[in-house]
Amino acid sequence: MLKDTFGRVHDYLRISLTDNCNLRCTYCMPEEDYEFTPVSRLMQADEIETISKIFVENGVNKIRLTGGEPLVRKDAANIIERLAKLPVKLTMTTNGTRVHDFIDLFEDCNIKSLNISLDTLDRDKFILLTRRDQYQQVKSNIDLLLDRNFHVKVNVVVMRGVNDHELIDFVAWTKNQPIHVRFIEFMPFTGNKWENDKVVPWMEMLQTISEEMPIIPLERIKHETVKKYTAEGHLGTFAVISTMSSPFCGDCNRMRLTADGKMKNCLFSGEEIDLLNPLRQGQDILPIIVRNILDKKEELGGQFSTDLVEADKIHNRSMITIGG
Ligand code: SAM
Ligand code: SF4
């Protein structure tokens, strides 16, 4: 069991398959000409499987694949097939653009729930935000997943003056569709032009929504990072992820592995520890993993508190290189 000094058991691993992506979301990828990590420096499929097995033998029961965009990796299908054989709940966060090519594989591999990122319901705004014209593809892939009975969560990063006027439209989408929208507070990462003013705190989001329609709070499941609600008479749900204004570090169970094989014990941790090279040199990496968990800070990687965020002083990778 992987337990930190605050007694938190870590049983959830998020693995980034690549820092490559076919979109260019402005809040995630710092600049258009960002250079992707060469394939030789990424964990290879068999290495991902070996490292995952070590985590699973030590209590991990859920693995989420992420990125960059996990489905642009050429051997994504091979990796998914390998990990599907482990005794874990396997899931993924994807931008949704390539889901149609993988949906049969997801079914074969018993992947039942997916998080799809979509920050706007307006095609022109989508192009502005992602610098690519893929809105229709993402939207039709969400419909495809719903038709095939997947549990679909839609991740929306809410930014003031950018898409905060769309909160009601997103909730309205849950009226007749079993969609689970998650409004995420905008977070600071290296190079993403984060400003305090652009964060819409979760209480403000709730107020905006509840002024338009009655909302009902739903029960929180342990380890969940969301505060969940449903609008009265709606089939789906919506939730807020309040990383910035009200963090949920108290029962955190998450660990991250970057595509180049570095372990991060927190999304905001300044330090990361290499697992890939020691593995390639034939070392036992379990003691490194255990040490990294013991070093985990109590809250927000020990880098900032919610009342004072100085984005330029935060030492971290950009989101695309961590894996959200
Ligand atoms: N490409 C996939 C996708 O977009 O879903 C997976 C990787 S992406 C980095 C994972 C999640 O991180 C997405 O839901 C994205 O919206 C979120 N994200 C990226 N940058 C963020 C930021 N600055 N603040 C909050 N969420 C962010
Ligand atoms: Fe790509 Fe996802 Fe980052 Fe957008 S949020 S640039 S889709 S990795």
Side-chain angles (χ1 to χ4, degrees):
M1 197 197 289
L2 299 168
K3 209 183 219 187
D4 72 2
T5 56
F6 304 95
R8 296 176 293 200
V9 174
H10 287 68
D11 54 12
Y12 178 14
L13 179 65
R14 298 166 74 101
I15 306 176
S16 170
L17 296 190
T18 176
D19 62 348
N20 200 335
C21 190
N22 55 345
L23 301 185
R24 297 286 181 279
C25 305
T26 44
Y27 55 75
C28 174
M29 195 184 283
E31 66 271 333
E32 180 83 27
D33 55 358
Y34 169 79
E35 281 195 28
F36 302 116
T37 309
V39 175
S40 62
R41 282 192 25 226
L42 298 182
M43 295 182 289
Q44 303 303 299
D46 59 327
E47 292 167 336
I48 293 175
E49 185 182 7
T50 304
I51 297 176
S52 299
K53 276 184 179 160
I54 296 170
F55 276 98
V56 171
E57 280 156 12
N58 288 279
V60 162
N61 54 34
K62 179 172 174 185
I63 293 181
R64 175 176 299 280
L65 301 179
T66 176
E69 173 47 39
L71 297 180
V72 301
R73 188 166 158 153
K74 290 203 170 56
D75 56 354
N78 178 13
I79 296 168
I80 293 168
E81 280 165 355
R82 284 169 184 261
L83 298 187
K85 295 195 182 105
L86 301 180
V88 289
K89 182 179 174 212
L90 185 61
T91 182
M92 179 180 291
T93 302
T94 164
N95 63 29
T97 54
R98 301 213 171 159
V99 159
H100 54 292
D101 291 328
F102 287 85
I103 192 157
D104 294 338
L105 178 77
F106 294 155
E107 284 179 344
D108 293 346
C109 290
N110 209 20
I111 294 177
K112 298 196 166 96
S113 165
L114 288 180
N115 289 17
I116 311 281
S117 303
L118 180 64
D119 304 309
T120 176
L121 296 171
D122 172 335
R123 177 177 161 234
D124 292 335
K125 184 140 284 178
F126 183 95
I127 296 171
L128 266 180
L129 275 170
T130 66
R131 298 176 262 191
R132 297 292 181 270
D133 187 2
Q134 291 276 328
Y135 175 74
Q136 277 313 335
Q137 187 65 70
V138 176
K139 200 73 192 330
S140 76
N141 278 342
I142 292 177
D143 291 340
L144 178 66
L145 286 166
L146 291 173
D147 281 351
R148 305 264 288 253
N149 291 321
F150 281 79
H151 185 84
V152 180
K153 297 180 193 165
V154 175
N155 285 357
V156 184
V157 179
V158 180
M159 291 161 281
R160 195 181 300 284
V162 177
N163 60 352
D164 55 333
H165 59 287
E166 292 192 60
L167 291 172
I168 303 297
D169 296 342
F170 273 105
V171 177
W173 193 15
T174 70
K175 172 124 179 102
N176 299 314
Q177 298 276 15
I179 294 246
H180 305 280
V181 174
R182 296 139 48 95
F183 298 118
I184 306 175
E185 289 180 354
F186 180 33
M187 296 184 268
F189 295 98
T190 301
N192 79 346
K193 300 201 174 73
W194 183 91
E195 285 165 30
N196 231 324
D197 295 354
K198 286 196 202 155
V199 178
V200 183
W202 71 279
M203 289 296 280
E204 189 182 325
M205 294 191 217
L206 271 195
Q207 173 141 12
T208 306
I209 298 165
S210 60
E211 275 168 10
E212 289 294 317
M213 57 190 97
I215 61 174
I216 305 159
L218 302 173
E219 203 184 326
R220 178 179 185 262
I221 299 167
K222 196 163 186 248
H223 303 306
E224 266 194 345
T225 56
V226 297
K227 298 170 178 51
K228 257 193 291 185
Y229 302 84
T230 186
E232 210 172 87
H234 286 47
L235 205 55
T237 66
F238 71 92
V240 286
I241 303 189
S242 57
T243 324
M244 299 311 300
S245 64
S246 164
F248 30 74
C249 307
D251 62 355
C252 180
N253 64 341
R254 295 155 179 241
M255 303 166 280
R256 289 164 197 272
L257 205 50
T258 64
D260 57 352
K262 309 277 192 307
M263 179 174 171
K264 277 174 83 75
N265 58 23
C266 168
L267 180 58
F268 292 108
S269 66
E271 305 91 43
E272 47 190 39
I273 189 97
D274 188 15
L275 298 185
L276 183 57
N277 286 305
L279 181 85
R280 286 181 177 173
Q281 288 153 11
Q283 287 180 40
D284 177 8
I285 60 168
L286 181 58
I288 307 175
I289 295 170
V290 170
R291 179 76 256 156
N292 190 246
I293 288 299
L294 289 173
D295 286 343
K296 179 155 170 158
K297 304 283 193 300
E298 188 172 8
E299 196 174 88
L300 297 170
Q303 292 223 66
F304 57 95
S305 69
T306 50
D307 37 276
L308 181 66
V309 184
E310 292 178 276
D312 48 350
K313 297 211 176 115
I314 296 174
H315 174 62
N316 205 348
R317 296 171 172 231
S318 57
M319 186 60 138
I320 192 143
T321 63
I322 301 174

